[in-house]
mmCIF file of all heavy atoms in Angstrom:
data_model
loop_
_atom_site.group_PDB
_atom_site.id
_atom_site.type_symbol
_atom_site.label_atom_id
_atom_site.label_comp_id
_atom_site.label_asym_id
_atom_site.label_seq_id
_atom_site.Cartn_x
_atom_site.Cartn_y
_atom_site.Cartn_z
ATOM 1 N N ARG A 1 0.841 -1.232 0.043
ATOM 2 C CA ARG A 1 0.011 -0.067 -0.040
ATOM 3 C C ARG A 1 0.802 1.299 0.028
ATOM 4 O O ARG A 1 2.124 1.202 0.181
ATOM 5 C CB ARG A 1 -0.995 0.052 1.218
ATOM 6 C CG ARG A 1 -0.197 -0.061 2.576
ATOM 7 C CD ARG A 1 -1.107 0.271 3.737
ATOM 8 N NE ARG A 1 -0.571 0.127 5.035
ATOM 9 C CZ ARG A 1 -0.059 1.136 5.694
ATOM 10 N NH1 ARG A 1 0.155 2.401 5.125
ATOM 11 N NH2 ARG A 1 0.461 0.938 6.911
ATOM 12 N N TYR A 2 0.102 2.394 -0.152
ATOM 13 C CA TYR A 2 0.777 3.629 0.055
ATOM 14 C C TYR A 2 1.168 3.855 1.433
ATOM 15 O O TYR A 2 0.481 3.547 2.312
ATOM 16 C CB TYR A 2 -0.159 4.799 -0.410
ATOM 17 C CG TYR A 2 0.288 6.143 0.056
ATOM 18 C CD1 TYR A 2 1.128 6.902 -0.847
ATOM 19 C CD2 TYR A 2 0.099 6.776 1.171
ATOM 20 C CE1 TYR A 2 1.626 8.079 -0.583
ATOM 21 C CE2 TYR A 2 0.597 8.061 1.644
ATOM 22 C CZ TYR A 2 1.358 8.687 0.743
ATOM 23 O OH TYR A 2 1.903 9.880 1.035
ATOM 24 N N VAL A 3 2.486 4.344 1.718
ATOM 25 C CA VAL A 3 2.963 4.480 2.947
ATOM 26 C C VAL A 3 3.610 5.939 3.119
ATOM 27 O O VAL A 3 4.310 6.278 2.128
ATOM 28 C CB VAL A 3 4.053 3.555 3.393
ATOM 29 C CG1 VAL A 3 4.563 3.740 4.759
ATOM 30 C CG2 VAL A 3 3.442 2.110 3.381
ATOM 31 N N GLU A 4 3.369 6.702 3.993
ATOM 32 C CA GLU A 4 4.011 7.948 4.215
ATOM 33 C C GLU A 4 5.525 7.809 4.104
ATOM 34 O O GLU A 4 6.093 7.038 4.948
ATOM 35 C CB GLU A 4 3.612 8.680 5.550
ATOM 36 C CG GLU A 4 4.089 10.080 5.686
ATOM 37 C CD GLU A 4 3.483 11.150 4.893
ATOM 38 O OE1 GLU A 4 2.271 11.021 4.434
ATOM 39 O OE2 GLU A 4 4.236 12.089 4.551
ATOM 40 N N GLY A 5 6.189 8.458 3.205
ATOM 41 C CA GLY A 5 7.528 8.360 3.093
ATOM 42 C C GLY A 5 8.033 7.107 2.320
ATOM 43 O O GLY A 5 9.292 6.793 2.233
ATOM 44 N N GLY A 6 7.055 6.345 1.771
ATOM 45 C CA GLY A 6 7.511 5.125 1.111
ATOM 46 C C GLY A 6 8.216 5.380 -0.171
ATOM 47 O O GLY A 6 7.898 6.157 -1.047
ATOM 48 N N PHE A 7 9.256 4.452 -0.501
ATOM 49 C CA PHE A 7 10.062 4.638 -1.683
ATOM 50 C C PHE A 7 9.358 3.938 -2.920
ATOM 51 O O PHE A 7 9.715 4.258 -4.069
ATOM 52 C CB PHE A 7 11.416 3.794 -1.453
ATOM 53 C CG PHE A 7 12.596 4.320 -2.183
ATOM 54 C CD1 PHE A 7 12.631 5.642 -2.473
ATOM 55 C CD2 PHE A 7 13.532 3.516 -2.506
ATOM 56 C CE1 PHE A 7 13.741 6.182 -3.270
ATOM 57 C CE2 PHE A 7 14.692 3.936 -3.177
ATOM 58 C CZ PHE A 7 14.830 5.304 -3.443
ATOM 59 N N GLY A 8 8.258 3.264 -2.589
ATOM 60 C CA GLY A 8 7.488 2.671 -3.772
ATOM 61 C C GLY A 8 6.195 3.431 -4.167
ATOM 62 O O GLY A 8 5.414 2.964 -4.989
ATOM 63 N N ASN A 9 6.017 4.576 -3.625
ATOM 64 C CA ASN A 9 4.777 5.354 -3.803
ATOM 65 C C ASN A 9 4.698 5.821 -5.239
ATOM 66 O O ASN A 9 5.630 6.313 -5.767
ATOM 67 C CB ASN A 9 4.712 6.446 -2.883
ATOM 68 C CG ASN A 9 4.496 6.270 -1.358
ATOM 69 O OD1 ASN A 9 4.068 5.057 -1.105
ATOM 70 N ND2 ASN A 9 4.685 7.126 -0.431
ATOM 71 N N ASP A 10 3.467 5.735 -5.668
ATOM 72 C CA ASP A 10 3.191 6.281 -7.048
ATOM 73 C C ASP A 10 1.715 6.349 -7.211
ATOM 74 O O ASP A 10 0.914 5.582 -6.524
ATOM 75 C CB ASP A 10 3.850 5.425 -8.218
ATOM 76 C CG ASP A 10 4.299 6.253 -9.391
ATOM 77 O OD1 ASP A 10 3.702 7.354 -9.581
ATOM 78 O OD2 ASP A 10 5.171 5.850 -10.119
ATOM 79 N N LYS A 11 1.176 7.225 -8.196
ATOM 80 C CA LYS A 11 -0.273 7.250 -8.376
ATOM 81 C C LYS A 11 -0.846 6.269 -9.394
ATOM 82 O O LYS A 11 -1.822 5.730 -9.415
ATOM 83 C CB LYS A 11 -0.633 8.711 -8.813
ATOM 84 C CG LYS A 11 -2.103 8.961 -8.833
ATOM 85 C CD LYS A 11 -2.439 10.435 -9.214
ATOM 86 C CE LYS A 11 -3.930 10.674 -9.238
ATOM 87 N NZ LYS A 11 -4.326 11.948 -9.639
ATOM 88 N N TYR A 12 0.109 5.948 -10.500
ATOM 89 C CA TYR A 12 -0.147 5.081 -11.481
ATOM 90 C C TYR A 12 1.031 4.097 -11.719
ATOM 91 O O TYR A 12 2.162 4.559 -11.446
ATOM 92 C CB TYR A 12 -0.428 5.832 -12.907
ATOM 93 C CG TYR A 12 -1.547 6.811 -12.790
ATOM 94 C CD1 TYR A 12 -1.298 8.126 -12.696
ATOM 95 C CD2 TYR A 12 -2.890 6.393 -12.892
ATOM 96 C CE1 TYR A 12 -2.449 9.095 -12.605
ATOM 97 C CE2 TYR A 12 -3.945 7.291 -12.785
ATOM 98 C CZ TYR A 12 -3.670 8.673 -12.707
ATOM 99 O OH TYR A 12 -4.772 9.584 -12.598
ATOM 100 N N ASP A 13 0.803 2.967 -12.268
ATOM 101 C CA ASP A 13 1.875 2.182 -12.600
ATOM 102 C C ASP A 13 2.350 2.352 -14.069
ATOM 103 O O ASP A 13 1.875 3.260 -14.692
ATOM 104 C CB ASP A 13 1.578 0.632 -12.297
ATOM 105 C CG ASP A 13 0.683 0.018 -13.367
ATOM 106 O OD1 ASP A 13 0.102 0.784 -14.271
ATOM 107 O OD2 ASP A 13 0.253 -1.215 -13.304
ATOM 108 N N ASP A 14 3.206 1.677 -14.696
ATOM 109 C CA ASP A 14 3.798 1.905 -15.892
ATOM 110 C C ASP A 14 2.954 1.421 -17.029
ATOM 111 O O ASP A 14 3.290 1.439 -18.170
ATOM 112 C CB ASP A 14 5.200 1.349 -15.983
ATOM 113 C CG ASP A 14 6.216 2.232 -15.215
ATOM 114 O OD1 ASP A 14 5.987 3.390 -15.154
ATOM 115 O OD2 ASP A 14 7.177 1.674 -14.660
ATOM 116 N N GLU A 15 1.741 0.896 -16.697
ATOM 117 C CA GLU A 15 0.718 0.543 -17.731
ATOM 118 C C GLU A 15 -0.453 1.529 -17.578
ATOM 119 O O GLU A 15 -1.486 1.472 -18.350
ATOM 120 C CB GLU A 15 0.230 -0.866 -17.504
ATOM 121 C CG GLU A 15 1.266 -1.837 -17.740
ATOM 122 C CD GLU A 15 0.660 -3.306 -17.682
ATOM 123 O OE1 GLU A 15 -0.271 -3.594 -16.833
ATOM 124 O OE2 GLU A 15 1.131 -4.192 -18.455
ATOM 125 N N GLY A 16 -0.295 2.587 -16.729
ATOM 126 C CA GLY A 16 -1.434 3.578 -16.476
ATOM 127 C C GLY A 16 -2.516 3.078 -15.695
ATOM 128 O O GLY A 16 -3.541 3.788 -15.656
ATOM 129 N N VAL A 17 -2.374 2.097 -14.911
ATOM 130 C CA VAL A 17 -3.355 1.490 -13.990
ATOM 131 C C VAL A 17 -3.115 2.272 -12.700
ATOM 132 O O VAL A 17 -1.951 2.325 -12.180
ATOM 133 C CB VAL A 17 -3.180 0.004 -13.763
ATOM 134 C CG1 VAL A 17 -4.250 -0.441 -12.720
ATOM 135 C CG2 VAL A 17 -3.277 -0.693 -15.100
ATOM 136 N N PRO A 18 -4.226 2.785 -11.999
ATOM 137 C CA PRO A 18 -4.153 3.466 -10.754
ATOM 138 C C PRO A 18 -3.660 2.513 -9.840
ATOM 139 O O PRO A 18 -4.075 1.320 -9.671
ATOM 140 C CB PRO A 18 -5.630 3.967 -10.505
ATOM 141 C CG PRO A 18 -6.362 4.064 -11.779
ATOM 142 C CD PRO A 18 -5.643 2.931 -12.647
ATOM 143 N N VAL A 19 -2.723 2.911 -8.912
ATOM 144 C CA VAL A 19 -2.198 2.095 -7.825
ATOM 145 C C VAL A 19 -3.143 1.869 -6.792
ATOM 146 O O VAL A 19 -3.651 2.852 -6.174
ATOM 147 C CB VAL A 19 -0.800 2.654 -7.280
ATOM 148 C CG1 VAL A 19 -0.295 1.782 -6.256
ATOM 149 C CG2 VAL A 19 0.227 2.690 -8.467
ATOM 150 N N LYS A 20 -3.462 0.607 -6.393
ATOM 151 C CA LYS A 20 -4.430 0.312 -5.470
ATOM 152 C C LYS A 20 -3.789 -0.366 -4.286
ATOM 153 O O LYS A 20 -2.819 -1.100 -4.371
ATOM 154 C CB LYS A 20 -5.494 -0.587 -5.902
ATOM 155 C CG LYS A 20 -6.421 0.100 -7.080
ATOM 156 C CD LYS A 20 -7.341 -1.006 -7.551
ATOM 157 C CE LYS A 20 -8.150 -0.436 -8.699
ATOM 158 N NZ LYS A 20 -8.933 -1.473 -9.485
ATOM 159 N N ASP A 21 -4.248 -0.009 -2.989
ATOM 160 C CA ASP A 21 -3.799 -0.676 -1.793
ATOM 161 C C ASP A 21 -4.545 -2.004 -1.813
ATOM 162 O O ASP A 21 -5.699 -2.194 -2.049
ATOM 163 C CB ASP A 21 -4.383 0.191 -0.502
ATOM 164 C CG ASP A 21 -3.566 1.518 -0.497
ATOM 165 O OD1 ASP A 21 -2.591 1.670 -1.176
ATOM 166 O OD2 ASP A 21 -3.903 2.316 0.476
ATOM 167 N N ILE A 22 -3.675 -3.042 -1.452
ATOM 168 C CA ILE A 22 -4.294 -4.400 -1.230
ATOM 169 C C ILE A 22 -3.816 -5.000 0.104
ATOM 170 O O ILE A 22 -2.766 -4.650 0.548
ATOM 171 C CB ILE A 22 -3.775 -5.258 -2.505
ATOM 172 C CG1 ILE A 22 -2.255 -5.482 -2.558
ATOM 173 C CG2 ILE A 22 -4.435 -4.798 -3.770
ATOM 174 C CD1 ILE A 22 -1.978 -6.662 -3.524
ATOM 175 N N HIS A 23 -4.592 -5.941 0.511
ATOM 176 C CA HIS A 23 -4.179 -6.820 1.682
ATOM 177 C C HIS A 23 -3.904 -8.105 1.072
ATOM 178 O O HIS A 23 -4.664 -8.864 0.691
ATOM 179 C CB HIS A 23 -5.362 -6.845 2.724
ATOM 180 C CG HIS A 23 -5.752 -5.595 3.419
ATOM 181 N ND1 HIS A 23 -4.716 -4.792 3.978
ATOM 182 C CD2 HIS A 23 -6.908 -5.003 3.643
ATOM 183 C CE1 HIS A 23 -5.380 -3.743 4.495
ATOM 184 N NE2 HIS A 23 -6.554 -3.837 4.409
ATOM 185 N N ILE A 24 -2.563 -8.385 1.198
ATOM 186 C CA ILE A 24 -2.106 -9.713 0.734
ATOM 187 C C ILE A 24 -2.659 -10.768 1.801
ATOM 188 O O ILE A 24 -3.280 -11.718 1.503
ATOM 189 C CB ILE A 24 -0.578 -9.808 0.710
ATOM 190 C CG1 ILE A 24 -0.137 -8.782 -0.511
ATOM 191 C CG2 ILE A 24 -0.117 -11.247 0.466
ATOM 192 C CD1 ILE A 24 1.416 -8.699 -0.472
ATOM 193 N N ILE A 25 -2.382 -10.450 3.037
ATOM 194 C CA ILE A 25 -2.996 -11.288 4.120
ATOM 195 C C ILE A 25 -3.946 -10.299 4.988
ATOM 196 O O ILE A 25 -3.521 -9.318 5.368
ATOM 197 C CB ILE A 25 -1.944 -11.823 5.120
ATOM 198 C CG1 ILE A 25 -0.900 -12.723 4.268
ATOM 199 C CG2 ILE A 25 -2.544 -12.647 6.228
ATOM 200 C CD1 ILE A 25 0.386 -13.128 5.106
ATOM 201 N N GLU A 26 -5.181 -10.787 5.106
ATOM 202 C CA GLU A 26 -6.109 -9.873 5.941
ATOM 203 C C GLU A 26 -6.700 -10.761 7.052
ATOM 204 O O GLU A 26 -7.293 -11.742 6.745
ATOM 205 C CB GLU A 26 -7.192 -9.363 5.011
ATOM 206 C CG GLU A 26 -8.178 -8.469 5.780
ATOM 207 C CD GLU A 26 -9.140 -7.831 4.779
ATOM 208 O OE1 GLU A 26 -9.467 -8.386 3.670
ATOM 209 O OE2 GLU A 26 -9.676 -6.718 5.159
ATOM 210 N N ASN A 27 -6.463 -10.275 8.298
ATOM 211 C CA ASN A 27 -6.798 -11.060 9.408
ATOM 212 C C ASN A 27 -6.518 -12.514 9.298
ATOM 213 O O ASN A 27 -7.319 -13.448 9.670
ATOM 214 C CB ASN A 27 -8.410 -10.920 9.637
ATOM 215 C CG ASN A 27 -8.874 -9.405 9.861
ATOM 216 O OD1 ASN A 27 -7.958 -8.645 10.369
ATOM 217 N ND2 ASN A 27 -9.942 -9.079 9.403
ATOM 218 N N GLY A 28 -5.268 -12.768 8.912
ATOM 219 C CA GLY A 28 -4.780 -14.145 8.854
ATOM 220 C C GLY A 28 -5.071 -14.869 7.555
ATOM 221 O O GLY A 28 -4.491 -16.013 7.319
ATOM 222 N N ILE A 29 -5.967 -14.326 6.744
ATOM 223 C CA ILE A 29 -6.344 -15.126 5.550
ATOM 224 C C ILE A 29 -5.632 -14.518 4.309
ATOM 225 O O ILE A 29 -5.541 -13.369 4.119
ATOM 226 C CB ILE A 29 -7.946 -14.936 5.309
ATOM 227 C CG1 ILE A 29 -8.614 -15.740 6.458
ATOM 228 C CG2 ILE A 29 -8.344 -15.518 3.965
ATOM 229 C CD1 ILE A 29 -10.146 -15.376 6.516
ATOM 230 N N LEU A 30 -5.083 -15.373 3.439
ATOM 231 C CA LEU A 30 -4.476 -14.999 2.159
ATOM 232 C C LEU A 30 -5.470 -14.470 1.183
ATOM 233 O O LEU A 30 -6.357 -15.224 0.762
ATOM 234 C CB LEU A 30 -3.627 -16.185 1.604
ATOM 235 C CG LEU A 30 -2.837 -15.864 0.333
ATOM 236 C CD1 LEU A 30 -1.707 -14.798 0.626
ATOM 237 C CD2 LEU A 30 -2.050 -17.113 -0.195
ATOM 238 N N LYS A 31 -5.473 -13.178 0.962
ATOM 239 C CA LYS A 31 -6.535 -12.500 0.192
ATOM 240 C C LYS A 31 -6.262 -12.204 -1.170
ATOM 241 O O LYS A 31 -6.974 -12.571 -2.153
ATOM 242 C CB LYS A 31 -7.014 -11.315 1.023
ATOM 243 C CG LYS A 31 -8.112 -11.582 2.141
ATOM 244 C CD LYS A 31 -9.496 -11.756 1.495
ATOM 245 C CE LYS A 31 -10.574 -12.184 2.481
ATOM 246 N NZ LYS A 31 -10.969 -10.972 3.310
ATOM 247 N N GLU A 32 -5.240 -11.205 -1.386
ATOM 248 C CA GLU A 32 -5.075 -10.647 -2.674
ATOM 249 C C GLU A 32 -3.552 -10.719 -3.073
ATOM 250 O O GLU A 32 -2.637 -10.870 -2.352
ATOM 251 C CB GLU A 32 -5.356 -9.179 -2.576
ATOM 252 C CG GLU A 32 -6.819 -8.895 -2.262
ATOM 253 C CD GLU A 32 -7.041 -7.303 -2.159
ATOM 254 O OE1 GLU A 32 -6.900 -6.837 -0.963
ATOM 255 O OE2 GLU A 32 -7.511 -6.748 -3.105
ATOM 256 N N ILE A 33 -3.366 -10.632 -4.379
ATOM 257 C CA ILE A 33 -2.028 -10.769 -4.978
ATOM 258 C C ILE A 33 -1.829 -9.585 -5.844
ATOM 259 O O ILE A 33 -2.781 -8.910 -6.255
ATOM 260 C CB ILE A 33 -1.591 -12.135 -5.564
ATOM 261 C CG1 ILE A 33 -2.591 -12.488 -6.790
ATOM 262 C CG2 ILE A 33 -1.625 -13.263 -4.509
ATOM 263 C CD1 ILE A 33 -2.120 -13.660 -7.558
#
């Protein structure tokens, strides 16, 4: 996800897709990749 001061922060990726925050593990469950 976006993090204040994060080195990987960006608004769009290199295909023009908006960067979305995702939970890879959410409350112990493997959710998103």
